[in-house]
Amino acid sequence: MAEVRGSPAAAPIAVLLAIGLGGCGGAEIPEISTDGMERRVAAAIGNAETALREDHGDASRWGQFAMVLHAHGLRAPALAAYAEAARLDGADPRFFHLPARLLENADPEAALALAEHALRLEPSLAPALALRARILDGLGRADADAAWDALRQRAPDSVEAAIAGGRQALAAGDPEGAAQALERAVEIAPDAAAGWSFLARARRRLGDSEGAQQAAIRARTAADTAAGRQLPDPDPYIEALFRLRVDSRGREARARRAAASGDDDAAAAIYRSLLADRPEDAALHYNLGNALARSGRGGEAEAAYREALARDPESSPAMANLANLLARSGRDAEAAELYRRSTAADPGHLPTLLGASSLHFGRGDLREAERFLRRALDRDPEHPGALQGLGQLLAAAGRLDEAAETLGRALRAVEQAAESPQNQAGIHFLLADVERQRGRRAEALRHLARAEALGMEVPAAFRKAVRRAR
């Protein structure tokens, strides 16, 4: 692969070649063995290679071939293909940014050279600015702070830049400035584990032990999720790579992301395509059922859950979700039997205990509903949903003092977990009603005002009833 003299891309192409890619044979298409690969992956690589062979002087076809290889973890041939794409078209920043991302951990100096070239081509490319700042930071370079500043100027909503600003402020002995930057980070990305972790440190240094504890809890919760372990700044080039993945793990990841974004129809379509290859996978049937249930396709969801249980009869999650579905459609007897089977398989399965409680509460069997809620709270004493359900049940039973105490615990639990404003508003509304019945008008009005401030539309008749309470 000959160097083009005088080309602005020559230096970074030399970086690519120096990684040890000369074995690709000049502009020859790298030989890719697809033995042992998933059928869809082999087909995707084959299609990209066929298109390239039709015109191996086309930079975009080399780039597409490189991206398909990159998406499926074929590092060396992907870098070779990126180098040829860059040689043919040195003005496309993708052909420098993407190999830089590929080399970020394996060879940060090479990645830095490529990222800086991508920025010469497109100075405002936020993902390349973030990549450069990350690499400089990791290398301990003095110019890392300036790189983070450049990212902040270009992308004010960058979570990475906000977290870096918080770290810098902490290192400089400015915990108040750190807290401000990190609160901005977790406001933009509530699932960013790193943001919550550094915020816990900042609040601890400010002497806010309760705030530090809450932030630490959020950090641990976020760290248990794939999203929380990654910095969520968007990178459209990496997103394009993600969409090219056709291996099972990549498609499952796309389905999870689609579901998380509320696109349950797309998630269901991906799960169906995965089941065409893996029809005996109980987890796929279960996940398909969840997507279908959320999109309101109850009959199809029921069928999917039953397929999951046919393959894994002891799955409490599948039994609980199917029971919830049946209970919502009035099939109480079938739901109760599934809840019974689920608690036999896993006596501490919280969704089963909560679902069974809800079923009995709806039937008016408050004693049995309370028994299930108490079992749930034995498992997790501060579970917000169990506390709220128990508070509502105690209120319905006229045990108002117990209800007020339990709902107060529920409110503290949802606030500590930073649950949605709707959840918090619902508990404030329940507390307003309990305090009204206890004759504590001022407290009832306070909770009513909080519910409305959190976005709840309170019925006018209830507002009047609270105001008239004595």
Side-chain angles (χ1 to χ4, degrees):
M1 203 178 293
E3 177 180 329
V4 180
R5 294 188 181 276
S7 165
I13 292 173
V15 169
L16 284 173
L17 293 174
I19 311 294
L21 306 173
C24 70
E28 292 297 320
I29 298 171
E31 295 272 342
I32 307 295
S33 172
T34 57
D35 292 344
M37 288 186 181
E38 292 183 29
R39 174 179 54 83
R40 289 174 184 265
V41 176
I45 293 172
N47 290 339
E49 183 178 340
T50 298
L52 180 55
R53 290 191 184 282
E54 290 174 357
D55 185 356
H56 67 275
D58 185 334
S60 64
R61 297 191 186 203
W62 275 102
Q64 183 70 11
F65 184 52
M67 290 172 68
V68 170
L69 298 174
H70 184 170
H72 296 99
L74 298 168
R75 175 178 172 273
L79 287 167
Y82 281 130
E84 182 61 12
R87 187 186 72 81
L88 292 167
D89 182 0
D92 191 328
R94 292 179 305 163
F95 303 151
F96 304 94
H97 177 68
L98 286 171
R101 287 294 303 263
L102 193 54
L103 291 168
E104 180 178 356
N105 296 316
D107 190 342
E109 293 284 2
L112 180 60
L114 292 165
E116 288 179 336
H117 189 79
L119 286 169
R120 285 194 288 274
L121 294 171
E122 190 174 333
S124 63
L125 184 62
L129 288 166
L131 177 59
R132 180 179 65 177
R134 269 200 314 275
I135 295 172
L136 290 170
D137 208 337
L139 292 171
R141 293 264 294 268
D143 45 355
D145 288 358
W148 287 120
D149 288 340
L151 176 60
R152 273 190 286 274
Q153 291 170 13
R154 172 64 183 86
D157 288 339
S158 167
V159 177
E160 287 188 78
I163 292 174
R167 287 194 292 107
Q168 291 165 349
L170 278 172
D174 179 14
E176 187 172 348
Q180 289 177 357
L182 294 162
E183 283 165 0
R184 174 65 176 154
V186 297
E187 178 186 355
I188 300 168
D191 293 328
W196 287 109
S197 180
F198 283 110
L199 181 57
R201 296 187 202 179
R203 287 179 172 166
R204 196 172 295 114
R205 291 192 191 178
L206 288 168
D208 179 6
S209 57
E210 183 178 350
Q213 182 182 19
Q214 291 180 1
I217 291 170
R218 291 300 303 271
R220 289 195 295 272
T221 303
D224 290 336
T225 69
R229 292 189 294 272
Q230 299 169 356
L231 291 173
D233 281 357
D235 184 336
Y237 296 151
I238 293 296
E239 288 294 320
L241 271 184
F242 185 72
R243 290 192 292 272
L244 290 175
R245 283 190 66 177
V246 295
D247 61 298
S248 294
R249 290 180 63 186
R251 288 153 65 208
E252 285 189 67
R254 281 211 306 280
R256 289 192 296 271
R257 288 180 64 170
S261 68
D263 192 352
D264 289 304
D265 288 337
I270 297 170
Y271 284 126
R272 287 193 194 281
S273 75
L274 287 162
L275 282 165
D277 296 331
R278 292 152 50 194
E280 295 306 311
D281 191 320
L284 289 179
H285 285 287
Y286 169 74
N287 289 331
L288 172 61
N290 291 341
L292 292 167
R294 286 191 299 265
S295 61
R297 296 149 71 180
E300 293 175 76
E302 179 181 344
Y305 288 137
R306 292 195 185 281
E307 290 287 350
L309 288 169
R311 290 156 177 80
D312 183 4
E314 299 301 301
S315 170
S316 283
M319 283 188 275
N321 285 10
L322 176 56
N324 293 342
L325 190 70
L326 296 174
R328 286 195 295 271
S329 62
R331 296 157 67 180
D332 289 2
E334 294 174 81
E337 173 60 18
L338 280 166
Y339 287 134
R340 185 196 65 75
R341 284 174 50 197
S342 181
T343 52
D346 182 356
H349 187 245
L350 283 170
T352 297
L353 297 172
L354 296 175
S357 173
S358 179
L359 176 70
H360 287 288
F361 185 81
R363 289 173 158 183
D365 186 352
L366 300 188
R367 178 176 296 180
E368 193 67 4
E370 182 175 351
R371 185 175 72 84
F372 279 107
L373 284 171
R374 297 286 184 190
R375 285 176 61 183
L377 288 168
D378 285 342
R379 180 68 179 268
D380 183 353
E382 299 304 316
H383 189 284
L387 288 169
Q388 181 174 349
L390 180 59
Q392 190 170 2
L393 182 151
L394 293 169
R399 295 154 63 183
L400 298 177
D401 291 346
E402 293 176 79
E405 189 273 333
T406 303
L407 288 170
R409 285 174 58 198
L411 185 59
R412 290 190 293 275
V414 298
E415 289 174 344
Q416 188 172 66
E419 291 197 5
S420 70
Q422 293 88 340
N423 287 356
Q424 295 182 40
I427 298 175
H428 278 292
F429 181 82
L430 291 171
L431 276 165
D433 191 34
V434 168
E435 299 295 10
R436 176 188 66 83
Q437 294 181 66
R438 295 172 80 197
R440 300 179 61 183
R441 181 172 175 273
E443 281 297 296
L445 286 170
R446 183 176 69 82
H447 285 296
L448 188 63
R450 285 297 299 143
E452 291 182 312
L454 288 164
M456 174 175 278
E457 292 187 13
V458 175
F462 180 76
R463 191 183 300 105
K464 288 181 182 178
V466 171
R467 288 174 176 164
R468 290 173 183 166
R470 297 192 179 208

